[in-house]
Amino acid sequence: MKQNNNSNLRIILVVAISFLFIVVYSYFQKPAQVPEKTTQEIATPLTTNPAPSSLQAKNKTPDVANNTQALNTSTFDPNKIIATIKSKEIEINIDSLGRISQFYLKDKKFTAPKQEGLIDHIKRLFGFAKKPQEVITKLPLLGNDLPKPLEMRFSDIATNNQAFEIPYKASLDSIELKNTPETLVLTQNLNNLTIKKIITFYPNLQYDVKIEVSRLIPYVISSGMRPVADADGYAFHGVVLKDAEDKIEKVEDKKADGKSEQYIGAKFIASVDRYYTSLFFTKSPKGFDAIIDSEIGTKNPMPFVAFDGNAEFQGYIGPKNYKELKEIDPNLTDVVEYGIITFFAKPVFLLLNFLHSYTGNWGWAIILLTLIVRIILFPLSYKGMVSMQKLKEVAPKMKELQAKYKDDPQKLQSQMMQLYKKNGANPMGGCLPLILQIPVFFAIYRVLYNAVELKSTGWIFWIHDLSVMDPYFVLPILMGISMYMHQVLTPNTIADPTQAKIFKLLPVVFTVFLITFPAGLVLYWTVNNIFSIIQQLLINRMMEKKKALEIAEHKHSHNEDGKIQKEKTK
């Protein structure tokens, strides 16, 4: 019996330790914050590594590594805003180098300050709290890192230097974007080259780009470095690309290997953080030639698209909202990234999104999702719980076997297996449902953590944002209590007192580590525990009735045997 108790406990502890390991590992894998660059650095093209000669031989990919000379900033201010595009939801600034210098979101969903919690109130009560967060009217998405969106670089050094020393002229200095697309024309006249960027902006944050050059010349244009509006390190930060074979390529910040990687026929290239993206995509069946270069020093990936002459493509800057990206181009839904478990997390999100379309509230959608998961896993959960009940019933007989064969381990093991088989008990059955919950748990964790749809969305009363921790710790405490209650109701097959104490500590351990997790995730785990409690109560009652029926039948049979024996005696 002790051996099997050890097996059960080991499985449970492995699950708990794996859970804690992933939490701790994710925390220490947060990318280091890169200091913002000064104005002088912004005005200087960054050094990049040479592009491999495979595409250069076709005269299609310029050697952007030649763009290393400092700019003559005395001629003009490269950061001067020459055009502004505004709508109710966004604001876009275009600088004198024809780049998107900054992109602002103005929706309250993105500008709302973080909800203050219990600790903040206590600090305020004792005079230790800082002033309340200032309410911002617009959220800037882009940082100071180069390249900026729509920044062009040329392999010809002379042309490239001119391109960074001569300002663009805008057809309009201000555009009010309402319900229809609006077009802006940016023109740059170099000594031997005229460049036109014809940009059409749409209300859904998409923009179309048409590049016209007066002569055939190879160049690259960037979709920009990743947004910096959300610096949380648990999510993927870097460049995501979909190649010609629909394979997703990813290069994380700090992990670019210093080489330029080319992808012929790519469908999109995107710089992403947790919630936002700046990307280029094309609806052409041929795709475009995308390059992921490496920023010297930081080893951050830099995205480019290579052209040779005139070009047309599309762009997007904004939140990684699944539905909106799908409406723009179904390929763009792959920009929403959930880590190594994306293959499983994406269907979970689609189901959650479907439930939300009916409930209108993400909190209730999470509760319905939990119920569906419980129904799917019910057959295994039911078998596991019944097995635990049967193990409890055979526990006295197991102690007898242990006493009888204490000096013969092989015989003891054989007798135990026979006893399990005879009574239909499985010592591993109770752990199987818990193990199956783990991939579901992490899939839901990644969905709730990465889905911008849940940002600033409330549930009831004190929960105003399901994407961040419960500010008053109510859900984590309820989760711990419900986990403990489920432990109490579940038949205990652990005979060793030390092991039993360790097992009882698990609710406390999980509560502590889930305190900082998104409220939506803790809601899922709490509701899951409640459903488990209800299921366990029903099974316990069913087993009690079954046992009472067996006892009644046994008594009836015994009485009948007694009557027959009396009749024979007479």
Side-chain angles (χ1 to χ4, degrees), residues 208-262:
D208 295 342
V209 182
K210 183 185 290 186
I211 305 292
E212 294 181 356
V213 290
S214 58
R215 65 181 176 87
L216 201 64
I217 184 172
Y219 60 89
V220 294
I221 184 167
S222 178
S223 59
M225 298 295 278
R226 72 167 177 83
V228 295
D230 190 287
D232 196 283
Y234 288 104
F236 174 85
H237 291 166
V239 172
V240 179
L241 175 146
K242 190 170 189 177
D243 66 16
E245 298 177 352
D246 290 337
K247 182 181 177 182
I248 302 299
E249 299 287 345
K250 299 185 296 183
V251 181
E252 194 171 0
D253 280 1
K254 312 301 179 191
K255 295 183 180 180
D257 59 7
K259 297 179 181 179
S260 292
E261 297 290 342
Q262 285 84 18

Side-chain angles (χ1 to χ4, degrees), residues 8 16-17 129 159 161 168 207 252 291 360 365 374 403 442 457 475 502 506 512 553:
N8 278 335
I17 292 170
T159 301
N161 286 343
Y168 277 79
Y207 60 93
E252 194 171 0
I291 304 170
R374 293 300 309 184
F442 284 113
T457 58
L475 281 176
I502 294 174
L506 288 181
V512 170
E553 289 178 351

Side-chain angles (χ1 to χ4, degrees), residues 31-145:
Q33 298 300 311
V34 181
E36 292 192 347
K37 292 178 169 53
T38 63
T39 304
Q40 179 64 33
E41 289 176 310
I42 295 174
T44 307
L46 300 179
T47 303
T48 59
N49 290 327
S53 59
S54 58
L55 288 179
Q56 287 185 29
K58 298 180 181 180
N59 198 29
K60 296 196 74 172
T61 302
D63 183 357
V64 292
N66 292 323
N67 307 336
T68 60
Q69 297 188 16
L71 301 179
N72 180 7
T73 58
S74 62
T75 306
F76 76 104
D77 179 7
N79 302 305
K80 179 182 178 181
I81 304 304
I82 62 172
T84 303
I85 299 89
K86 292 183 178 180
S87 75
K88 187 178 179 180
E89 306 293 335
I90 64 167
E91 179 180 325
I92 306 172
N93 293 337
I94 307 295
D95 67 20
S96 57
L97 287 178
R99 309 172 300 189
I100 296 177
S101 175
Q102 189 54 268
F103 191 104
Y104 296 97
L105 291 173
K106 297 192 288 187
D107 193 305
K108 290 182 179 179
K109 176 183 179 72
F110 306 106
T111 61
K114 184 179 178 182
Q115 181 185 3
E116 290 190 346
L118 179 62
I119 294 177
D120 298 311
H121 293 313
I122 293 173
K123 286 182 177 179
R124 192 179 304 283
L125 181 65
F126 289 96
F128 295 110
K130 297 179 181 179
K131 293 181 180 180
Q133 298 182 54
E134 295 182 5
V135 178
I136 59 173
T137 57
K138 53 186 181 180
L139 175 70
L141 295 191
L142 305 179
N144 291 332
D145 290 326

Side-chain angles (χ1 to χ4, degrees), residues 324-368:
E324 293 175 2
L325 290 173
K326 185 177 181 180
E327 289 176 354
I328 295 172
D329 187 332
N331 282 315
L332 297 184
T333 58
D334 289 320
V335 173
V336 184
E337 209 274 334
Y338 303 109
I340 59 174
I341 202 168
T342 296
F343 72 96
F344 186 49
K346 191 171 183 178
V348 170
F349 170 77
L350 293 176
L351 175 57
L352 185 65
N353 192 46
F354 172 78
L355 296 173
H356 174 261
S357 66
Y358 284 94
T359 63
N361 181 283
W362 288 103
W364 295 114
I366 290 169
I367 291 173
L368 286 179

Side-chain angles (χ1 to χ4, degrees), residues 177-191:
L177 189 61
K178 295 183 179 179
N179 297 324
T180 57
E182 298 289 345
T183 299
L184 175 71
V185 180
L186 304 173
T187 306
Q188 186 182 43
N189 294 306
L190 307 182
N191 290 344

